[in-house]
Amino acid sequence: MVPTDVIARVLIAVLGAGILSMLLSRRFNISYVPLFIIFGMVLGPITAWMPRPVAHELFDYVRVFGLVMILFTEGHNLSWRMLKRNMSTIVTLDTVGLLITALLSAWFFSWVFDAPFLVGFLFGAIISATDPATLIPLFRQHRVKQDIETTIVTESIFNDPLGIVLTTVAIAMFVPQASGGIFASLSSAAGLYGGAVLYFLYEVGVSIAVGFVLGMFGYWFIKKTAIFEFPEIEIFSLLLAFTGFFLGESLQASGYLVATVTGIVLGNYKIIGKRENPAIMDRVLRAVEKEVEFNESLAAIATVFIFVLLGASLNLDLLTGNVLRSVLVAFFIMAVARPLASLPLLKWWNPREYLFIALEGPRGIVPSALAALPLSLAVKYLGGELSVYWGDVILATTVIVVLASVITETLWLPFLRAKLLRTETVQDRMENYEKMKHELKAS
């Protein structure tokens, strides 16, 4: 058990690093994600202010509960109307695109590190999810077309939990005892790879169904209690998010995807209750806005803890020893794997718009949160096919890929915007607004 004074010291260090990183981010107009990780490395392996074993142990808890809040909050921000408008692109990127990115990354990682393909596939699954949160301010600053911005952001909201599901499948193929009996039953009936496909479909289907039911229950509860101006709505939202996670994991599905879908249903309460009494809907609006504001604060705190503790968990010897190969993997993912995986978008977007979307998919919170999972499993199930060495290599490479993609894709965004996209005029924005009004009336 970690001593109380050590926990207090870690809390002070993480929160202090978070505040300093955000101040520097705003002062120099740079992404805070690399700063979180760098400060974590300074506090952890460089100065030993946070012992690496302690940071790693705390990270295992923070990544789970932090991700639940982050994904639940992200779900609230997904507009069903904008999703319908760009449905084809988003579905393609979050299914075919996600899988192709994972497989190409797996192949290249295996080739560069001379690793077994299953090790590469585990890395590819972990790194498959995008996180453009650091790009959103730049999208607004450089007036990127709204449809393109919405597509990139919405893609991430869905591929975050789907990337986690794919990682769960990869782990089940490696460490079956870590995934419960459903995968074992499916793989015995359909073989290892057939079982993996069926297990993926099971996780997605069950998670979406449970999340939808839970979201509808949440809407019903808020509607019934809003008339009393229920003051503890934030506590209820926490209960809902973690109940979704618990139910998903209990059913051997994805608790993260359940939390995301629950958030999506609650975030689109206006569509669900469009025939309700306006006075009731006004109360629901105030209640949902209150719980979203609370959840966003928790999600921001969780982001700080995940990235700082990730940096503190790193093995610097492995990090520096693999930096060149890891950077090579990072640029392969950015410049080859994602553009190839995004090729079907040419059906709906012109070549310049396709290339902009393909080159703006930085890796972030989900890969970072999952990065240490292989190492944890290797330690827990010592002696299996997944060794501690490969767990450390995956952790180090994932961190470098996250750092390289965030820094590179933040820096080249203005250049890509100038070369690939035309300036969105006031008339364009008015046309988009009129189109959205028409879609609103139609729905």
Side-chain angles (χ1 to χ4, degrees), residues 372-387:
L373 184 57
L375 179 59
S376 299
L377 289 172
V379 171
K380 184 176 181 180
Y381 299 100
L382 197 61
E385 291 185 67
L386 184 61
S387 67

Side-chain angles (χ1 to χ4, degrees), residues 423-440:
T423 302
E424 187 176 36
T425 63
V426 174
Q427 183 179 353
D428 292 331
R429 291 181 178 270
M430 289 299 296
E431 288 175 359
N432 281 333
Y433 176 70
E434 291 299 325
K435 191 182 294 184
M436 288 179 66
K437 277 175 55 179
H438 176 73
E439 291 171 355
L440 179 61

Side-chain angles (χ1 to χ4, degrees), residues 407-427:
I407 293 169
T408 303
E409 297 188 21
T410 299
L411 291 175
W412 74 24
L413 188 147
F415 172 79
L416 294 178
R417 167 67 187 81
K419 295 295 182 182
L420 299 176
L421 303 178
R422 69 183 182 87
T423 302
E424 187 176 36
T425 63
V426 174
Q427 183 179 353

Side-chain angles (χ1 to χ4, degrees), residues 171-309:
I171 288 169
M173 297 170 74
F174 244 126
V175 192
Q177 60 268 43
S179 59
I182 290 179
F183 176 75
S185 301
L186 292 173
S187 59
S188 64
L192 181 63
Y193 295 103
V197 173
L198 293 174
Y199 186 51
F200 180 85
L201 295 174
Y202 167 82
E203 285 209 324
V204 172
V206 171
S207 301
I208 290 175
V210 174
F212 179 79
V213 171
L214 201 58
M216 291 300 292
F217 167 76
Y219 166 75
W220 172 85
F221 183 87
I222 290 172
K223 184 180 71 172
K224 292 297 183 183
T225 57
I227 193 170
F228 307 114
E229 298 292 341
F230 185 56
E232 289 80 21
I233 192 66
E234 299 94 339
I235 299 175
F236 174 71
S237 72
L238 281 177
L239 174 66
L240 204 62
F242 288 110
T243 298
F245 175 77
F246 174 76
L247 288 175
E249 297 299 307
S250 298
L251 294 169
Q252 295 180 37
S254 172
Y256 299 105
L257 184 53
V258 172
T260 305
V261 174
T262 304
I264 291 171
V265 174
L266 284 180
N268 289 276
Y269 64 92
K270 290 181 181 177
I271 296 175
I272 300 169
K274 60 183 177 182
R275 292 187 174 87
E276 296 282 0
N277 184 303
I280 293 176
M281 288 309 294
D282 185 58
R283 293 192 186 101
V284 173
L285 168 65
R286 291 201 300 271
V288 172
E289 284 181 343
K290 187 179 179 184
E291 62 106 0
V292 167
E293 185 178 349
F294 174 74
N295 292 338
E296 285 179 344
S297 297
L298 284 183
I301 294 170
T303 301
V304 172
F305 272 84
I306 286 173
F307 282 113
V308 174
L309 288 175

Side-chain angles (χ1 to χ4, degrees), residues 124-142:
I126 288 171
I127 211 67
S128 61
T130 59
D131 180 14
T134 55
L135 301 178
I136 291 175
L138 289 175
F139 286 156
R140 308 286 164 79
Q141 178 185 340
H142 296 281

